[in-house]
Amino acid sequence: MSSLQWNLTRQGTCWPRGDKGGRVVIFQRETESKGESEEVGDTGDSGEYNVYSTFQSHEPDFDYLKSLEIEEKINKIRWLPQQNAAHFLLSTNDKTIKLWKVSERDKRPEGYNLKDEEGRLKDISTITSLQVPVLKPTDLMVEVRPRRVFANGHTYHVNSISVNSDGETYLSADDLRINMWHLGITDRSFNIVDIKPANMEDLTEVITAAEFHPHHCHLFVYSSSKGTLRLCDMRASALCDKHTKLFEEPEDPGSRSFFSEIISSVSDVKFSHSGRYLLTRDYLTAKVWDLNMDKGPVETYQVHEYLRSKLCSLYENDCIFDKFECVWNSSDSVIMTGAYNSFFRMFDRETGRGVTLEAWRESSKPRAVLRTRRVYTGGKRRRGDVGVDSLDFTKKILHMAWHPSENIIAIAATNNLYIFQDRVNPETQTQ
């Protein structure tokens, strides 16, 4: 990982200020010609990401039964495996999940028998001959259409959706329940996990995230606010209240404090591409778990341990409840997660070393190499170090994604989206 040099390939504004939200913005990679690539000194296979399509996914709604407003903001977006030329994606707000079809059209039919050139219906009595319509080239148009609306499946706010490896089903999770849906059926779902107690006063934890196994369609995992992970097998029971494996790190009684349970809550869980490991993120650390070893994590990475002394102030400004995501690279050798002050962290699993990078609009120019940053916590202070007391907690990186096969990452920082690409030649880079 130390040899990777990240440069900004595209910077765009997503969900602009003043926008009511609920919009989906899709970026497409535009490959450059060889001459252009040589001119700027790139390897020749890089390209910029430009806006491919944008559409309104959700609108504000109102739950009349509970007298609650349902925000239009999107909680999760998941792509479906591509089956044909069109793309499909799932998007969800707090209550409603939608399936969208994204397709291209570069031809239009001409020579209708029942319509005129302006599209108006002709008088049938005036039609004296028939013709065969022909398709003629036209400007490329991207069409986004809603195909399914999956509603009324959750009482509480949806926090996760995950597409199954069978390509036919997906799961959605809220605070207390996990449902499984068929992509072709919108009016019913199957409840596969229900942790709601008979008396809500007995509630001790909530579901924070859930994900299907990348290869085995019967396995899924969900995390809780207590920091536990439960691996469930749908072959054992239709209702997976009894987990197959429980992953939990024993707590040190000597280090327990008022904030222990809050910072141990798992905000995100991701299966590795190989399917053997789990990556989780709590408030201060990122952890890697082996599915064959449930006694504790096999790797623990400190994301911003320097904040442990500031948990009281973070609790007062609600930052301690921020939900950071985490991702794997394509080979499962590097993990990435977000932090504050527009910082994000990468960890090399082989060496255990981490690096801090910054996504900052004012200092990031296209094709400029990202420099490593350091938070000053003591000792010799270097030039450019940022003091703990100088961190901007309003600039937080909660959402990110890593390209499934290349060293390209997308970082969402406040209302900006940054896409960074590795500039090192793939033949010489090491991870």
Side-chain angles (χ1 to χ4, degrees):
M1 185 186 68
S2 59
S3 66
L4 298 187
Q5 292 181 320
W6 299 97
N7 73 301
L8 182 70
T9 64
R10 185 67 182 178
Q11 175 181 301
T13 301
C14 295
W15 311 290
R17 297 182 188 276
D19 194 348
K20 294 181 180 179
R23 298 185 65 82
V24 175
V25 182
I26 303 174
F27 287 82
Q28 182 187 42
R29 188 179 184 185
E30 301 290 343
T31 56
E32 300 171 338
S33 65
K34 186 175 181 181
E36 292 173 340
S37 298
E38 291 176 347
E39 189 173 313
V40 297
D42 276 355
T43 58
D45 61 351
S46 63
E48 289 193 353
Y49 280 79
N50 296 312
V51 176
Y52 178 69
S53 178
T54 176
F55 62 94
Q56 188 73 29
S57 174
H58 288 76
E59 301 285 351
D61 203 352
F62 190 80
D63 188 337
Y64 292 96
L65 187 61
K66 297 185 177 180
S67 297
L68 293 174
E69 291 186 2
I70 301 174
E71 295 184 36
E72 69 274 31
K73 69 179 181 68
I74 299 170
N75 293 340
K76 295 290 180 180
I77 298 174
R78 291 290 181 265
W79 290 100
L80 271 65
Q82 189 173 1
Q83 305 291 338
N84 48 44
H87 298 274
F88 291 86
L89 63 86
L90 289 168
S91 65
T92 181
N93 64 354
D94 288 339
K95 298 291 184 181
T96 305
I97 306 165
K98 295 184 179 181
L99 174 65
W100 298 88
K101 179 181 180 181
V102 184
S103 57
E104 296 180 350
R105 187 175 64 176
D106 57 0
K107 294 181 176 61
R108 61 183 179 89
E110 287 188 1
Y112 284 106
N113 292 293
L114 301 179
K115 296 180 181 179
D116 58 20
E117 295 180 355
E118 297 180 358
R120 294 174 296 189
L121 290 174
K122 297 180 180 179
D123 185 355
I124 298 180
S125 61
T126 62
I127 300 175
T128 58
S129 62
L130 298 177
Q131 58 181 334
V132 178
V134 295
L135 294 175
K136 292 191 175 181
T138 184
D139 294 336
L140 178 66
M141 294 179 59
V142 179
E143 296 181 337
V144 182
R145 296 180 180 178
R147 297 301 302 271
R148 305 276 193 278
V149 177
F150 307 88
N152 305 319
H154 289 275
T155 304
Y156 307 96
H157 292 178
V158 177
N159 56 46
S160 301
I161 50 175
S162 177
V163 181
N164 202 346
S165 59
D166 61 11
E168 297 182 354
T169 58
Y170 74 93
L171 65 77
S172 59
D174 64 24
D175 291 342
L176 299 180
R177 294 187 177 97
I178 300 178
N179 295 338
M180 187 171 70
W181 304 77
H182 191 282
L183 288 166
I185 303 174
T186 61
D187 59 351
R188 65 180 179 273
S189 61
F190 297 95
N191 180 230
I192 54 177
V193 172
D194 188 348
I195 66 170
K196 183 179 180 180
N199 186 351
M200 286 296 285
E201 294 181 356
D202 298 330
L203 182 66
T204 59
E205 61 181 336
V206 295
I207 298 170
T208 56
E211 184 172 83
F212 266 121
H213 192 281
H215 309 306
H216 303 304
C217 61
H218 56 275
L219 292 177
F220 69 93
V221 67
Y222 70 92
S223 58
S224 81
S225 57
K226 279 191 170 182
T228 61
L229 304 173
R230 291 176 172 86
L231 182 69
C232 300
D233 190 340
M234 291 187 290
R235 297 174 301 180
S237 174
L239 186 62
C240 299
D241 286 347
K242 293 183 178 180
H243 50 268
T244 303
K245 280 189 176 183
L246 175 66
F247 300 87
E248 184 176 16
E249 184 175 22
E251 184 182 7
D252 182 8
S255 62
R256 182 168 179 80
S257 69
F258 172 79
F259 306 106
S260 295
E261 188 168 334
I262 300 176
I263 63 175
S264 65
S265 175
V266 176
S267 59
D268 193 22
V269 57
K270 293 286 193 330
F271 274 102
S272 63
H273 294 84
S274 66
R276 177 177 175 180
Y277 298 99
L278 286 168
L279 172 63
T280 62
R281 172 66 200 270
D282 55 43
Y283 189 69
L284 295 178
T285 65
K287 298 174 182 176
V288 176
W289 308 72
D290 191 326
L291 290 186
N292 300 321
M293 301 173 61
D294 54 3
K295 293 183 179 180
V298 293
E299 302 164 25
T300 300
Y301 302 96
Q302 302 296 334
V303 179
H304 39 213
E305 179 65 18
Y306 45 81
L307 295 182
R308 187 176 293 275
S309 61
K310 298 189 174 296
L311 293 179
C312 186
S313 59
L314 292 168
Y315 178 80
E316 292 175 352
N317 61 21
D318 287 340
C319 285
I320 199 171
F321 301 105
D322 288 333
K323 300 182 182 300
F324 293 95
E325 294 182 354
C326 53
V327 293
W328 301 85
N329 72 334
S330 58
S331 62
D332 298 334
S333 60
V334 179
I335 63 174
M336 177 173 62
T337 189
Y340 294 105
N341 208 72
S342 296
F343 291 166
F344 60 97
R345 301 269 284 153
M346 287 186 177
F347 298 95
D348 189 316
R349 295 184 59 208
E350 182 178 354
T351 63
R353 288 185 293 183
V355 62
T356 302
L357 301 171
E358 182 181 18
W360 190 31
R361 185 171 187 171
E362 283 73 14
S363 65
S364 297
K365 297 180 180 180
R367 308 188 188 286
V369 177
L370 275 179
R371 296 181 179 179
T372 59
R373 299 301 303 270
R374 181 173 175 265
V375 178
Y376 174 75
T377 56
K380 185 178 180 181
R381 184 161 188 168
R382 307 174 190 171
R383 183 181 179 183
D385 284 0
V386 179
V388 177
D389 295 328
S390 303
L391 294 175
D392 188 344
F393 292 100
T394 64
K395 296 179 179 179
K396 57 192 74 174
I397 295 181
L398 304 178
H399 310 289
M400 54 186 54
W402 203 309
H403 193 283
S405 59
E406 301 180 39
N407 275 325
I408 301 174
I409 56 177
I411 303 293
T414 58
N415 65 329
N416 294 313
L417 175 68
Y418 300 88
I419 298 178
F420 301 99
Q421 180 173 349
D422 175 28
R423 293 186 62 184
V424 180
N425 191 312
E427 296 179 0
T428 60
Q429 73 183 26
T430 59
Q431 294 186 8

